Amino acid sequence: MLKFFAKQIFDALVVLFGNGLLNDIADFLSTINSATTDALNNGVISDAIGIFKGLAASLVILFFLVELLNEAQKDFVTFERLTVMLMRLLAVTIIVMNLELVVNGLEALSVEIFDAVKDLAGSTSNSFEIFGENASTGYRYSEVEDDLKDALGDAGIKQALMVILQLLIPWLISRLCYVVAYVITVGRSIELIVRAIFSPIGVANLFEDGTRSSGIRYLKKFAACALQLGAIAVILYASSALCNTLIDTLSDGYMTITKDNILDVLASSALWSMSAIQLAVIGITLKAQGICNDILGV
């Protein structure tokens, strides 16, 4: 039982004070990232896009004829106006026929943004130590297991239970962060694949209203969906940077947890302050799609 308590306490401390939440979610996002990229490059997805390209080509011609008819009803179609319409028809056709490149390019851009933010976050890890382990060593439980067990053994089972209870709600909040990030990320990947498959139809109408056409809006929404992964990475980095900046003050000057001061650290304002930041991460992560929509003006 002491071994179980020690492992749970150490894991909770790493999540709260050692960027464990950021690192675990970032690793999962990287996995989903790779899976999404592979799926978009999968022959089945390309074949599905190809099927809708035939329908999209018919819609492009239809929208072109409708616009031509509207112009004819307003006034005689001049040579210059007809030239512009034909150039637009050519541009739309080229975009529709090369949508795989557009889709993969937007996803690749999202991956680049995510990797850049992840590298930046990795270079700003805090220096908080837990029984001698820190971010640079990777918070190895095997290295602190004996010391932590000794500390809990000296304190007794009753004291260990008190520590567990103190960490329970913050640990549950961190688990909720995982669930929210995982669900949003997986949902984003599924939506991205669905939007990619139907992109030929969505992009077909680029004739009406210029840059405000439904085709442009569809591309913007696809780009916003792709950018969502980068937005989540920025949110996690921002919360980590905030924790790193405030952790010294919040923990009443303690920058290392040892068997002598673990109860003092847990009794400080640091524990609940870190939990409040993680709770805020949940709320802002749920708004990641809205942030991306605002960025692209969707």
Side-chain angles (χ1 to χ4, degrees):
M1 181 175 290
L2 193 60
K3 181 178 181 180
F4 174 79
F5 282 161
K7 184 67 168 65
Q8 297 305 313
I9 290 173
F10 183 77
D11 289 343
L13 291 174
V14 171
V15 167
L16 289 170
F17 298 103
N19 285 340
L21 177 69
L22 171 66
N23 295 332
D24 288 348
I25 295 180
D27 290 340
F28 178 77
L29 294 184
S30 296
T31 302
I32 291 295
N33 230 358
S34 301
T36 305
T37 302
D38 293 341
L40 290 174
N41 291 321
N42 188 284
V44 176
I45 303 297
S46 298
D47 291 343
I49 294 176
I51 292 173
F52 285 105
K53 277 185 180 180
L55 179 58
S58 301
L59 290 175
V60 169
I61 298 299
L62 178 62
F63 290 137
F64 172 75
L65 294 176
V66 169
E67 185 184 24
L68 185 62
L69 180 61
N70 289 337
E71 290 296 328
Q73 290 176 341
K74 294 177 184 178
D75 200 354
F76 290 108
V77 179
T78 64
F79 176 76
E80 291 81 3
R81 180 59 183 164
L82 181 60
T83 302
V84 171
M85 293 173 63
L86 289 173
M87 292 178 63
R88 187 180 298 176
L89 174 63
L90 177 62
V92 174
T93 303
I94 292 174
I95 292 175
V96 170
M97 292 298 105
N98 293 278
L99 270 175
E100 290 95 335
L101 295 176
V102 176
V103 166
N104 291 329
L106 290 173
E107 175 62 8
L109 178 60
S110 174
V111 171
E112 291 295 329
I113 294 174
F114 171 79
D115 289 340
V117 175
K118 184 180 178 182
D119 292 341
L120 182 62
S123 65
T124 57
S125 298
N126 65 52
S127 57
F128 201 92
E129 290 191 353
I130 302 174
F131 285 80
E133 288 292 301
N134 53 42
S136 61
T137 62
Y139 292 107
R140 300 162 299 180
Y141 174 68
S142 59
E143 297 295 322
V144 305
E145 182 177 1
D146 293 337
D147 291 339
L148 189 54
K149 286 180 181 179
D150 290 341
L152 294 177
D154 294 340
I157 296 296
K158 182 179 178 180
Q159 195 68 57
L161 284 173
M162 290 181 61
V163 173
I164 285 286
L165 291 175
Q166 280 183 291
L167 293 172
L168 179 60
I169 294 179
W171 182 84
L172 290 175
I173 293 175
S174 69
R175 295 300 103 181
L176 186 57
C177 285
Y178 287 129
V179 172
V180 170
Y182 289 4
V183 170
I184 290 179
T185 305
V186 173
R188 171 257 183 196
S189 297
I190 296 173
E191 181 182 355
L192 204 63
I193 293 173
V194 172
R195 284 187 176 276
I197 292 174
F198 286 101
S199 59
I201 298 176
V203 177
N205 186 10
L206 288 172
F207 291 96
E208 296 179 359
D209 299 327
T211 56
R212 294 187 298 275
S213 66
S214 60
I216 293 296
R217 288 199 304 272
Y218 191 91
L219 285 176
K220 284 184 176 181
K221 287 182 179 180
F222 185 92
C225 184
L227 188 61
Q228 188 178 9
L229 187 70
I232 294 175
V234 171
I235 291 169
L236 293 174
Y237 167 69
S239 64
S240 175
L242 181 61
C243 289
N244 295 346
T245 303
L246 298 178
I247 197 169
D248 186 22
T249 302
L250 293 175
S251 60
D252 295 339
Y254 293 111
M255 286 302 289
T256 182
I257 296 178
T258 66
K259 63 180 181 180
D260 297 323
N261 68 8
I262 183 171
L263 296 180
D264 294 328
V265 174
L266 294 180
S268 69
S269 59
L271 183 64
W272 297 109
S273 298
M274 294 301 164
S275 299
I277 293 175
Q278 291 186 355
L279 200 59
V281 168
I282 297 174
I284 197 67
T285 300
L286 292 172
K287 298 174 63 176
Q289 184 63 65
I291 294 173
C292 296
N293 290 341
D294 292 340
I295 292 174
L296 295 174
V298 178

